[in-house]
């Protein structure tokens, strides 16, 4: 997709310095840390017709994907549009020799329909680039949360995170209301199904007063115990939704705390470096990354 013009917003210098709160203990605290992010604004007048996420998907494919790449294929509305666009580019001959590594059954099906050759993920696989939707991204750090909407046992947070972490380059595509300082909402946590209650109680004590802990159901109404049919992942784990009732001051500290809980297998927090967020809004796209100011970017 050709871009008519690219402008750097004067209110957002090329390298903006952000001051973010860090946490002590359960995620609160008064100390601060400084992070540098690179922010590129692509104005609305630069973009052709279509939804903001549609433009984010096309921008991601046009900017980052080259012929011969092995690509991690994410799930979600923007990822589906990116997959469809890759298929069109392959059909037109603009891209060649692409291999897609799907992060879920749903995106594997979408990729197959688009005509993208698929490979199977292995821990030794080299993945040149990956894209995905994120549920929320912490402003400045680009630490992200995934897996909030998984309700099928065949889907795997573990597989999705493994592919994202294995990629040489990662882009998340989100809307502007998903990019927040002090994010809120739930964080999915994978636990052993045999002793899930013990892990849930420990997590509840860890974030006492700041979050509620519910076991995710496969069908029916959600509740603390997951109803009569709790979700069991393909690896045999239950999913606990840690639902924060106040803004999270530091996803990094929450991640560290969850990693120390007995029975926790993994969770939906992902911290990847380098990482880029393509943020869609009515006024255009913002492209933010967490590279240091003096880093040399690959073409």
């Amino acid at each position: 997709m050709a871009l008519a013009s690219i402008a750097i917003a004067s209110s957002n210098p090329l390298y903006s310095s952000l001051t973010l709160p860090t946490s002590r203990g359960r995620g609160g605290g008064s100390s601060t840390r400084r992070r540098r992010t690179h922010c590129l604004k692509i104005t609305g007048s630069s973009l052709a017709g279509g939804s903001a996420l549609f433009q984010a998907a096309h921008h991601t494919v046009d900017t980052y994907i080259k012929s011969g790449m092995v690509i991690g294929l994410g799930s979600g509305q923007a990822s589906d549009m990116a997959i469809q666009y890759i298929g069109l580019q392959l059909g037109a001959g603009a891209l060649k020799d692409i291999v897609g590594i799907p992060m879920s059954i749903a995106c594997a099906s979408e990729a197959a329909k688009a005509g993208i050759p698929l490979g199977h993920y292995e821990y030794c696989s080299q993945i040149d680039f990956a894209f995905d939707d994120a549920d929320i991204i912490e402003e400045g750090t680009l630490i992200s949360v995934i897996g909030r909407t998984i309700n099928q046992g065949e889907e795997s947070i573990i597989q999705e995170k493994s592919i994202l972490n294995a990629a040489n380059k990662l882009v998340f595509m989100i809307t502007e209301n998903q990019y927040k300082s002090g994010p809120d909402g739930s964080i999915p946590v994978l636990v052993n199904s045999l002793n899930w209650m013990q892990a849930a109680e420990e997590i509840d004590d860890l974030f006492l007063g700041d979050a509620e802990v519910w076991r995710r159901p496969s069908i029916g109404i959600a509740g603390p115990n997951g109803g009569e049919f709790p979700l069991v992942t393909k690896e045999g784990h239950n999913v606990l939704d840690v639902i924060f009732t106040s803004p999270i001051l530091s996803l990094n500290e929450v991640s560290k705390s969850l990693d120390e809980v007995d029975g926790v297998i993994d969770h939906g927090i992902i911290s990847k470096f380098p990482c880029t967020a393509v943020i869609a809004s009515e006024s255009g796209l913002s492209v933010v990354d967490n590279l240091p100011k003096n880093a040399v970017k690959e073409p």
Side-chain angles (χ1 to χ4, degrees), residues 243-288:
I243 306 167
F244 284 84
T245 55
S246 57
I248 302 168
L249 297 185
S250 172
L251 283 174
N252 182 53
E253 293 300 322
V254 172
S255 175
K256 289 179 180 178
S257 297
L258 290 172
D259 287 339
E260 295 175 358
V261 175
D262 289 339
V264 169
I265 307 301
D266 208 339
H267 48 71
I269 300 174
I270 178 167
S271 178
K272 171 74 173 175
F273 183 88
C275 178
T276 298
V278 178
I279 306 165
S281 68
E282 292 183 359
S283 61
L285 301 178
S286 296
V287 182
V288 183

Side-chain angles (χ1 to χ4, degrees), residues 85 89 96 137 189 195:
Y85 185 48
Q89 296 292 81
K96 297 179 181 179
I137 294 180
V189 180
N195 62 343

Side-chain angles (χ1 to χ4, degrees), residues 13-14 48 56 60 79 84 169 174 177 193 200 205 243 250 252 262 267:
L14 188 61
T60 297
S79 293
Q84 293 164 10
K169 174 72 176 178
I174 58 171
N177 64 342
S193 57
D205 290 341
I243 306 167
S250 172
N252 182 53
D262 289 339
H267 48 71

Side-chain angles (χ1 to χ4, degrees), residues 32-210:
T32 59
R33 61 183 171 182
R34 299 184 74 81
R35 298 261 185 172
R36 289 190 179 274
T37 56
H38 168 277
C39 181
L40 173 67
K41 296 286 290 185
I42 303 174
T43 61
S45 61
S46 306
L47 303 173
S51 72
L53 274 180
F54 176 88
Q55 301 297 346
H58 281 222
H59 173 81
T60 297
V61 173
D62 287 335
T63 303
Y64 301 105
I65 295 179
K66 311 298 180 186
S67 294
M69 280 187 168
V70 177
I71 303 169
L73 306 175
S75 298
Q77 184 179 0
S79 293
D80 285 351
M81 289 187 283
I83 289 170
Q84 293 164 10
Y85 185 48
I86 292 171
L88 291 175
Q89 296 292 81
L90 286 169
L95 289 174
K96 297 179 181 179
D97 302 322
I98 294 293
V99 176
I101 307 296
M103 300 181 199
S104 69
I105 292 176
C107 70
S109 175
E110 195 68 38
K113 289 188 291 185
I116 301 174
L118 298 179
H120 296 285
Y121 173 70
E122 298 175 358
Y123 286 101
C124 60
S125 295
Q126 177 179 339
I127 300 175
D128 300 299
F129 175 76
F131 60 81
D132 201 2
D133 291 42
D135 295 310
I136 204 157
I137 294 180
E138 185 177 65
E139 184 178 329
T141 66
L142 299 194
I143 298 176
S144 308
V145 176
I146 60 172
R148 284 183 176 177
T149 59
I150 290 177
N151 56 14
Q152 300 293 326
E154 294 83 4
E155 309 299 339
S156 173
I157 292 175
I158 292 176
Q159 178 173 311
E160 185 174 357
K161 280 186 69 172
S162 296
I163 293 172
L164 294 174
N165 281 319
N168 294 334
K169 174 72 176 178
L170 168 62
V171 169
F172 284 113
M173 299 168 290
I174 58 171
T175 59
E176 60 181 341
N177 64 342
Q178 295 172 296
Y179 185 63
K180 295 183 177 182
S181 176
D184 52 14
S186 65
I187 294 174
V189 180
L190 300 174
V191 295
N192 285 320
S193 57
L194 295 179
N195 62 343
W196 73 269
M197 181 68 77
Q198 179 181 345
E201 290 174 350
E202 187 171 345
I203 294 171
D204 189 55
D205 290 341
L206 186 66
F207 302 110
L208 188 63
D210 293 328

